[in-house]
Every structure is written in C-alpha cells, then in structure tokens.
Amino acid sequence: MAKSFKGKINLDIRDSVPDWEPFLPPKAREGAPNVLLISWDDVGYGTMDVFGGPVEVPNMRRIAEMGVRYSNFHTTALCSPTRASLLNGRNATSNGMATIAEFGAGFPGISARIPFENGMISEVLAEEGYSTYCLGKWHLTPGDETTLAS
C-alpha cells in the first residue's frame, strides 16, 4: 500500500517541505521477532534424538525443550521439491518441482521453475521490513540454467 505524501509543495521550493517517508523501504515493526528457517538435507524426523533418533542435536533439543517442536511437514524424499515447498508453503508440483531441479522437463508440475505467483517466505518477510539472507545449498535452479562455472 502506497504511503501518502505528508510534505508541502509550493511554487517556490524554498517554501516547500519534503517528505521522504513514502520512498523509504519498509521497516520491521518494533519488537518483531527474528525468523530463522533451517533446512537440513537428507534428514528425516527419525534421525534426530529430539524425535527418538540416534543423532544427538543439542541445539535442536534445547529449542524443543523450550516448547518449539514442528513436525507436521510433508517431505518428498527429494531435496529440491521439499525445499521449494518449505520456502513457500506450496505443493511440490504446484511449484513445478516434482523432481530435483536438474531433471526438470517441459511438462506441468515438473518444469523445475517455481512460478512467480508462488511467493517465497523471504519475499513476504522483505515486504514487512525484514532483511533476508540465504546460506548454503540452494538446489532450486533448473539444470538448463546452470553451467560448470555456476
């Protein structure tokens, strides 16, 4: 939503008052929480000790002991479709990611191209004034858009 201009425009600029607010990027509200999204490849719920698995994850256990235990997420057993779904909340085929990105083909649901209208959580957060950053393996780029240099 566009912010309205609250300055004053007169015939002579010396009698005018600027208003920069409509042109500034959005800022997260005061006290807005930090958001951290972690995606681990090839790790199911049964892997971590938090859910009874053999791998000790002390930081995840600490978070779980504070009451945060998310476990209602469908995984496709493939990294690209699962990652795409996690990043925007859409079904893998709605994201064009019914397979890993390198195997994309020119068919609905398997193009390996996430449609523009399937906005990512990072885009939603940025609109609310958050700074976003991605680190690590992406694996959402279609194979025909990569080279040995990328």
Side-chain angles (χ1 to χ4, degrees):
M1 182 167 75
K3 297 176 185 174
S4 62
F5 180 77
K6 295 184 178 123
K8 183 177 171 186
I9 301 173
N10 284 314
L11 188 57
D12 188 322
I13 193 164
R14 294 173 294 187
D15 299 324
S16 298
V17 178
D19 176 19
W20 284 102
E21 189 176 349
F23 308 103
L24 297 175
K27 284 181 137 182
R29 64 178 166 74
E30 186 67 33
N34 290 323
V35 177
L36 176 63
L37 188 132
I38 300 171
S39 174
W40 289 337
D41 265 355
D42 303 322
V43 176
Y45 293 115
T47 302
M48 297 181 275
D49 65 343
V50 173
F51 297 101
V55 177
E56 291 185 20
V57 287
N59 290 324
M60 291 303 295
R61 188 178 332 108
R62 183 177 49 81
I63 292 169
E65 287 169 356
M66 290 188 302
V68 180
R69 231 182 250 255
Y70 296 113
S71 61
N72 190 15
F73 179 74
H74 171 74
T75 179
T76 64
L78 293 172
C79 56
S80 299
T82 299
R83 180 176 282 108
S85 296
L86 181 64
L87 291 174
N88 67 18
R90 307 281 180 141
N91 178 284
T93 54
S94 297
N95 280 323
M97 287 285 179
T99 185
I100 61 171
E102 292 87 354
F103 294 167
F107 299 100
I110 197 168
S111 67
R113 285 163 176 80
I114 299 172
F116 175 79
E117 59 272 13
N118 291 12
M120 301 281 193
I121 189 171
S122 57
E123 295 171 302
V124 174
L125 289 170
E127 287 175 1
E128 293 299 317
Y130 282 80
S131 295
T132 62
Y133 183 77
C134 178
L135 175 71
K137 178 181 168 190
W138 182 245
H139 209 190
L140 292 175
T141 305
D144 61 316
E145 292 183 13
T146 63
T147 68
L148 293 176
S150 58

